[in-house]
Amino acid sequence: MSRVKEVSPLCQTLVSMLADLDDSEESKEFSTLACNVENDLAKLTTSVKLAIDSKLLTGTTKRKASDSSEDASEPPEKKKCVEEEGGFTEKKLAHDYGVVFIYGSCLNNGKPDASAGFGVYWGDREMNTSERLGGKQTNNRAVLYAAIRAVEQAKAKKISNLIIKTNNLNLIQSITKWLEGWKKKNWMKSSGEEVTNKEELQELDKKLEGINVKWVHVDKCCAGIEAAEQLAKKGGELPLPE
């Protein structure tokens, strides 16, 4: 049994048991093979551990998708949300940027007794906004005014790069895809009709001068959108502005 010196206690026990049962050459060869396998496994385990330790030290390990989280500056979200982006990319963001969620709400939308409000959620009590919409009461007008107010607030805070998150895809497409064409056609659609909410879009377009905005479409599942929605609903319960 001299061939199996300096092996692990487990291997020694295995060899001893096999030797008691059968002292044939086949038994000895099997014992040696078992020890070799155990040694190979030990080397592999050590190599894997060293590789993992190296990645942990260099910070190159990757987290699972389920463990990922958004930037700490954004409000927490209850689950992963689908986002469709427009405008500038994250690589162009400077340090002076902000993230805001907007929402336009209208109770009994399209009816005579409709009441609309809009919410702007920054995650900051001083900047969070809940207002009643004046004029025609619709949710599309409400979300336009939410965007206008968010841009105004960003400029007041000297924020030059702003991420606006909304679940209203029509708003994003109006600004990022159709706006320039409408302006060239004197705010007329291809059907020959005037663009809906032209005045509000014109005001928002003017407010967007001098600020870099990235528009992001977010599912309603996000906590930030839900917070903005609650602010909008509270705004819809306020009296009409004079």
Side-chain angles (χ1 to χ4, degrees):
M1 301 298 291
S2 59
R3 289 180 296 174
V4 294
K5 291 181 179 179
E6 298 181 1
V7 296
S8 68
L10 175 61
C11 186
Q12 291 179 356
T13 301
L14 176 61
V15 172
S16 177
M17 291 175 62
L18 288 172
D20 291 341
L21 293 173
D22 186 1
D23 196 34
S24 65
E25 286 298 321
E26 291 81 359
S27 175
K28 294 178 181 179
E29 291 177 1
F30 178 79
S31 300
T32 302
L33 178 61
C35 291
N36 289 338
V37 170
E38 183 185 28
N39 290 335
D40 289 341
L41 288 174
K43 291 178 180 178
L44 178 60
T45 301
T46 301
S47 297
V48 171
K49 184 178 184 302
L50 288 173
I52 292 174
D53 290 343
S54 176
K55 286 186 176 294
L56 288 174
L57 288 172
T58 58
T60 57
T61 53
K62 295 182 179 180
R63 295 178 296 175
K64 295 181 180 179
S66 59
D67 294 334
S68 63
S69 61
E70 292 201 3
D71 189 275
S73 63
E74 298 184 25
E77 298 178 356
K78 294 191 294 187
K79 55 183 178 179
K80 184 179 180 181
C81 297
V82 178
E83 297 188 352
E84 179 176 326
E85 301 180 357
F88 63 86
T89 63
E90 292 284 358
K91 294 181 180 179
K92 294 182 181 179
L93 284 176
H95 66 281
D96 56 338
Y97 80 94
V99 180
V100 64
F101 293 82
I102 63 172
Y103 198 94
S105 173
C106 185
L107 181 64
N108 299 323
N109 192 43
K111 298 181 179 180
D113 60 343
S115 58
F118 57 90
V120 181
Y121 179 74
W122 293 88
D124 183 334
R125 290 185 179 181
E126 293 183 1
M127 295 181 68
N128 293 343
T129 301
S130 181
E131 294 186 39
R132 176 69 186 270
L133 179 68
K136 188 177 181 179
Q137 303 289 291
T138 69
N139 61 328
N140 284 329
R141 287 189 71 245
V143 76
L144 279 165
Y145 272 101
I148 290 169
R149 188 70 73 246
V151 172
E152 289 176 341
Q153 291 175 317
K155 286 185 172 182
K157 290 290 185 177
K158 306 300 182 182
I159 295 172
S160 58
N161 295 286
L162 178 64
I163 298 176
I164 297 180
K165 296 193 174 187
T166 174
N167 70 322
N168 193 310
L169 184 58
N170 181 69
L171 169 63
I172 296 177
Q173 292 177 331
S174 295
I175 300 301
T176 62
K177 294 183 179 181
W178 306 324
L179 184 64
E180 291 305 315
W182 288 337
K183 290 162 70 174
K184 291 178 182 179
K185 295 179 181 179
N186 196 28
W187 295 94
M188 300 297 292
K189 297 180 181 178
S190 56
S191 61
E193 299 177 348
E194 187 177 74
V195 173
T196 306
N197 299 323
K198 179 185 74 173
E199 291 79 10
E200 290 79 5
L201 286 164
Q202 289 175 330
E203 183 176 354
L204 177 57
D205 183 43
K206 186 175 182 180
K207 295 290 184 182
L208 290 171
E209 294 177 1
I211 187 169
N212 196 20
V213 175
K214 173 181 177 180
W215 300 87
V216 180
H217 180 239
V218 189
D219 282 349
K220 195 177 177 180
C221 68
C222 296
I225 289 295
E226 291 181 350
E229 180 184 9
Q230 293 303 313
L231 290 170
K233 288 181 176 178
K234 289 181 180 179
E237 297 172 354
L238 297 173
L240 282 168
E242 296 181 0

